[in-house]
Amino acid sequence: MDKGTLVEFRVQGDRRLGVVDRPDGKTRWFVVDERGQSHSLAPRQISYTVNGETYKPSDIGSFQGQVKPYIDPSSLEVAWELLVEDGETVTPAQMANLLFSASEAAACYAAHCLLSEDKLYFKQKGEAYEPRTAAQVAELKHQAEVTALKARGQEEFLARVEQALQGETVDWQRHDRQRLEALEKYATLVADVMLMGVNYDTLARAYPPPGPVSETMKMLKRPATPPGAFQLLVDLGWLNIHENLFLRRLSIPVQFSSKVLEVAQQSLDFPPTDLDTNRLDLSHLKVYTIDDESTTEIDDGLSWELLPDGRERLWVHIADPTRWLVPEDELDLEARKRGTTVYLPTGMVPMFPELLATGPMSLVQGRVSCALSFGVMLDESGAVEDYTIHPSFIKPTYRLTYEDVDEMLQLGVEAEPEIEAIANWAKQRKSWRYNQGAISINMPEPMIKVKNDQIDIDILDDSSSRQLVAEMMILAGEVAARYGQEHNIPLPFRGQRQPELPPDEELLLLPAGFVRACALRRCMPKSEMSITPLRHAGLGLNTYTQATSPIRRYSDLLTHFQLKAHLRGEVPPFTADQLREVMMTVTSTTQEVTKVERQTNKYWTLEYLRRHPDQVWEVTVLMWLREDSNLALILLEDLGSQLPMFFKRSVGLGEQLLVKVSHADPQKDMIQFQEIIYQESQSATN
């Protein structure tokens, strides 16, 4: 290559012209650009050589000025239309002649620039260029249009995001919603940290962001992580800062479909035929329903009856939602899919549509209601002596709260001797169960309510009224199970294996109270479900099933379906195999719901603690989680909450101490406490 030859080369992708100055070794050349900078180039780095003349670096600007008038990318389309049919290749010199009717160096170099930059009409083939086919050009044009539309869509999306971030109301478009819904799905992985106990590093490795999520987060310069996606959606007003990600992660339906609501309304407007034509009329009995004040699904009531022979009969009346549905219909399948009513601090998610659940399905005061009534007579010890089960009509007399009943029992209200009689039988019944080996473990249980962003946490008292209701519900469960066992009816029986409790001498080494109760609780096996009777060691019963909440628990509804069919003299709707299959599905669903309820309660507990950083809490050390690293489980008795805490000193189980919250992050399920130590002799040392 001669000195003074003008060549083209690239510097970090940019096109640049330079003049050959001198050799650099055997194969390379020093080339000087118009700025006077010298570049050592190998032959492969030179992309074009301007032939015919010699140049000085100072001539480069003038040459570029000669080239500029020829640079018109649209002219390539004309050349392509002329060349595409024959498909012949063309050199830059030939293209200059075709486009400009010129062959001088500037025209040829302009043709080279046009061809080498073109990505639509021509593709390079050696030192020449080949026209693409019509089909290829059409496809490339389509791709370019798609890219342009995407770019425009991104710009418009970014503009709407900026509006939302400034607090303005935004009309999100369909494509926007697709982006945001993808972000929402990814953000719900935050719930896995708590539901599955994984940490954030594991989460990031296991769930890298999908392409659309990664693209959106990169475009908005946000971290492409589940917490990052969640925070973005909160900032945009798409999600609430306290959004229940547990519900969203497990796809638990919060609303009912329009179809289900329509079916519910039709049942209300045109009640189905009552299959139980032999209902026992018990509307003459005084019926007490006892619940929390906020309860809207009233599914149980209690009566006491003095018989002519002087004996006493207890009645447990249970709401009869099967009056309004049959197995496998729309309402039944919807309830089966939900499995249970979900109880959350922010409200409940019902198993049945509210217009049925709180209306004709419930035992409403003063209104004749359909029920499944369990009449039970107990012997002096509290054991079941005789029982009867009937579909019935009842008319609830009083709707009472637990507080009402406690007050009545304390005052000994003479006008309501039935309440006192039921309470006395409940005590006898509890004593009998303990004699049968029942195990009672009492730990504080919180009731958390969130309304208008106000968090209230109360401790549920193990009051006489609650014990009364609990004993009557357990009694009905035993009677239902005994009927199923005696008549060989497949039911969702519930049992619990006998626990292997520590020896008494070992338990006595633990502080009495909550520490000992916590140790016992750890020994209790999980309850089991079976289509055949099981002993329930915790309750002290040889057979048991849940039958008292059919509006709120699908397993209870199954018990009603089976029992009522047999009472009518019909074959139960579910065979043993069918019942087992349905139970497996429902049990899986209810286990997931239990996780959601537990983690949601914990979330709001942590949020409550976060809002009270200066509050001093008295806590009890319950048990060691990792004694080697001083990690223990503590009980905040005022909140009924059990949370982990690292200690900086040696502490003993049962020790009571004072702590404050040093850090709380409900979104990350994190809580840290610091111990407060007051100097007893502080004033003396001052």
Side-chain angles (χ1 to χ4, degrees):
M1 191 177 297
D2 297 331
K3 180 181 174 64
T5 301
L6 185 62
V7 297
E8 179 193 83
F9 60 98
R10 300 269 180 172
V11 176
Q12 296 180 343
D14 293 333
R15 189 191 302 274
R16 192 171 295 189
L17 290 173
V19 176
V20 175
D21 184 39
R22 66 186 188 280
D24 179 18
K26 293 183 178 180
T27 58
R28 303 178 69 87
W29 294 87
F30 280 114
V31 174
V32 181
D33 62 22
E34 63 179 78
R35 304 173 189 173
Q37 295 177 339
S38 182
H39 305 266
S40 176
L41 304 176
R44 60 181 173 77
Q45 293 176 275
I46 296 173
S47 50
Y48 186 80
T49 302
V50 178
N51 297 314
E53 298 182 37
T54 59
Y55 296 85
K56 298 189 292 295
S58 58
D59 297 331
I60 294 175
S62 174
F63 179 79
Q64 289 174 326
Q66 297 170 30
V67 171
K68 189 173 181 179
Y70 295 110
I71 302 297
D72 180 9
S74 63
S75 62
L76 280 181
E77 183 176 6
V78 177
W80 173 77
E81 290 174 349
L82 294 173
L83 298 170
V84 66
E85 188 172 344
D86 294 334
E88 294 183 4
T89 60
V90 61
T91 64
Q94 291 170 330
M95 181 60 78
N97 192 47
L98 179 64
L99 289 178
F100 316 127
S101 301
S103 56
E104 64 268 21
C108 292
Y109 179 64
H112 158 75
C113 291
L114 290 171
L115 288 167
S116 61
E117 291 295 324
D118 175 56
K119 298 293 185 286
L120 181 59
Y121 297 107
F122 294 89
K123 59 182 177 182
Q124 192 167 4
K125 195 171 185 180
E127 295 185 356
Y129 291 84
E130 180 181 71
R132 288 186 168 91
T133 65
Q136 289 172 333
V137 169
E139 177 61 24
L140 288 171
K141 283 184 176 180
H142 172 70
Q143 292 176 4
E145 289 173 1
V146 169
T147 301
L149 281 172
K150 183 178 179 181
R152 187 163 63 251
Q154 288 179 346
E155 290 176 4
E156 293 171 352
F157 173 68
L158 287 172
R160 286 189 285 272
V161 165
E162 191 58 36
Q163 279 183 274
L165 291 176
Q166 292 175 3
E168 299 178 24
T169 302
V170 175
D171 183 16
W172 297 109
Q173 302 301 301
R174 182 172 61 86
H175 291 298
D176 299 340
R177 292 183 177 278
Q178 290 174 348
R179 282 183 185 275
L180 297 173
E181 285 166 2
L183 287 173
E184 182 181 315
K185 185 176 180 181
Y186 188 58
T188 59
L189 292 175
V190 170
D192 285 352
V193 173
M194 288 156 271
L195 288 173
M196 298 194 299
V198 299
N199 59 44
Y200 278 90
D201 291 338
T202 302
L203 185 69
R205 288 193 299 271
Y207 299 102
V213 170
S214 181
E215 177 187 83
T216 302
M217 298 303 282
K218 184 178 180 180
M219 188 178 10
L220 297 174
K221 299 179 181 178
R222 299 277 188 129
T225 62
F230 175 75
Q231 188 58 53
L232 171 62
L233 294 172
V234 170
D235 293 344
L236 294 176
W238 181 265
L239 294 181
N240 184 282
I241 185 63
H242 298 302
E243 196 75 35
N244 196 321
L245 298 180
F246 311 112
L247 279 177
R248 290 179 175 270
R249 179 66 176 145
L250 296 176
S251 301
I252 293 174
V254 176
Q255 304 295 331
F256 287 93
S257 69
S258 56
K259 182 178 181 182
V260 171
L261 292 175
E262 183 180 335
V263 170
Q265 187 62 54
Q266 287 175 352
S267 296
L268 204 58
D269 296 339
F270 306 99
T273 302
D274 188 0
L275 300 178
D276 297 292
T277 56
N278 60 339
R279 288 187 183 273
L280 183 64
D281 188 352
L282 298 175
S283 58
H284 62 282
L285 291 176
K286 190 181 288 187
V287 178
Y288 304 92
T289 63
I290 307 170
D291 283 287
D292 287 308
E293 189 173 355
S294 60
T295 301
T296 55
E297 298 173 339
I298 312 223
D299 51 15
D300 58 80
L302 303 175
S303 297
W304 174 83
E305 182 182 19
L306 182 62
L307 301 176
D309 60 5
R311 292 190 299 168
E312 300 175 34
R313 177 185 283 146
L314 296 167
W315 285 98
V316 182
H317 311 286
I318 307 301
D320 186 9
T322 61
R323 160 72 181 86
W324 301 90
L325 64 153
V326 295
E328 308 292 327
D329 72 2
E330 192 77 31
L331 291 172
D332 173 55
L333 293 177
E334 179 68 19
R336 187 184 305 178
K337 180 176 71 174
R338 292 169 177 262
T340 181
T341 291
V342 187
Y343 291 96
L344 303 171
T346 49
M348 71 171 188
V349 182
M351 188 172 78
F352 285 110
E354 188 176 358
L355 74 165
L356 287 178
T358 62
M361 286 184 177
S362 282
L363 305 181
V364 180
Q365 178 180 336
R367 190 177 72 192
V368 174
S369 304
C370 292
L372 185 63
S373 295
F374 298 79
V376 188
M377 286 187 284
L378 303 175
D379 64 20
E380 290 182 0
S381 69
V384 175
E385 186 174 76
D386 191 18
Y387 71 85
T388 183
I389 306 176
H390 294 280
S392 64
F393 290 115
I394 65 168
K395 188 176 182 180
T397 316
Y398 297 113
R399 179 181 176 181
L400 303 173
T401 65
Y402 290 109
E403 292 74 18
D404 292 335
V405 175
D406 284 328
E407 186 175 352
M408 292 167 70
L409 293 174
Q410 289 169 7
L411 297 177
V413 178
E414 294 181 3
E416 304 298 335
E418 294 88 348
I419 284 287
E420 186 174 2
I422 296 171
N424 289 335
W425 278 116
K427 291 176 184 176
Q428 194 68 23
R429 177 71 182 165
K430 184 175 182 180
S431 176
W432 176 84
R433 286 196 306 106
Y434 284 148
N435 288 333
Q436 305 304 308
I439 301 169
S440 178
I441 300 174
N442 294 318
M443 297 290 289
E445 184 180 349
M447 183 169 65
I448 307 172
K449 298 292 183 184
V450 178
K451 188 174 183 180
N452 299 326
D453 202 43
Q454 176 71 33
I455 309 171
D456 292 310
I457 302 181
D458 295 315
I459 303 300
L460 292 176
D461 294 326
D462 189 22
S463 63
S464 298
S465 61
R466 291 186 184 275
Q467 291 180 35
L468 179 158
V469 172
E471 285 301 326
M472 293 301 103
M473 299 306 106
I474 294 170
L475 175 60
E478 182 192 3
V479 167
R482 283 179 59 169
Y483 185 90
Q485 184 176 23
E486 291 167 7
H487 296 89
N488 200 28
I489 305 171
L491 292 178
F493 293 99
R494 186 175 289 272
Q496 186 180 45
R497 290 181 290 106
Q498 191 68 33
E500 296 182 8
L501 299 178
D504 288 344
E505 57 269 22
E506 187 176 322
L507 281 175
L508 289 173
L509 294 175
L510 297 173
F514 296 134
V515 174
R516 202 173 292 176
C518 183
L520 287 173
R521 186 183 58 187
R522 292 171 60 197
C523 298
M524 298 299 292
K526 290 183 178 180
S527 61
E528 304 173 42
M529 297 284 284
S530 172
I531 60 168
T532 55
L534 297 170
R535 174 168 170 77
H536 198 300
L539 295 178
L541 300 177
N542 289 328
T543 184
Y544 177 69
T545 186
Q546 290 181 316
T548 57
S549 294
I551 305 177
R552 301 185 263 188
R553 286 194 300 251
Y554 191 79
S555 62
D556 298 42
L557 193 72
L558 285 173
T559 300
H560 279 229
F561 276 136
Q562 299 290 86
L563 290 181
K564 285 182 60 186
H566 190 272
L567 290 168
R568 289 194 299 266
E570 300 173 1
V571 176
F574 296 94
T575 65
D577 288 340
Q578 289 171 335
L579 187 67
R580 183 185 293 109
E581 185 177 346
V582 172
M583 282 169 53
M584 286 177 61
T585 301
V586 172
T587 299
S588 176
T589 301
T590 53
Q591 286 173 347
E592 296 295 339
V593 168
T594 299
K595 288 182 184 177
V596 169
E597 291 176 337
R598 183 173 62 245
Q599 290 296 342
T600 304
N601 280 335
K602 186 177 181 184
Y603 174 93
W604 285 107
T605 299
L606 297 189
E607 176 62 15
Y608 184 88
L609 289 168
R610 187 190 69 80
R611 296 183 185 186
H612 296 81
D614 297 325
Q615 176 78 40
V616 176
W617 305 97
E618 184 174 309
V619 304
T620 302
V621 182
L622 277 185
M623 59 173 281
W624 290 110
L625 298 175
R626 291 200 305 270
E627 189 171 3
D628 58 339
S629 54
N630 270 6
L631 176 63
L633 188 69
I634 61 172
L635 171 67
L636 284 76
E637 191 174 347
D638 288 347
L639 300 182
S641 299
Q642 299 169 38
L643 296 167
M645 177 176 175
F646 280 102
F647 287 93
K648 296 181 179 180
R649 65 177 181 89
S650 177
V651 295
L653 297 183
E655 187 171 340
Q656 293 184 319
L657 41 92
L658 301 175
V659 302
K660 287 174 67 173
V661 175
S662 58
H663 176 70
D665 187 339
Q667 292 292 346
K668 294 184 178 180
D669 195 31
M670 292 174 58
I671 183 76
Q672 294 174 2
F673 295 98
Q674 62 180 14
E675 185 178 0
I676 305 300
I677 301 176
Y678 293 103
Q679 300 295 330
E680 295 181 3
S681 57
Q682 185 176 9
S683 58
T685 58
N686 286 342

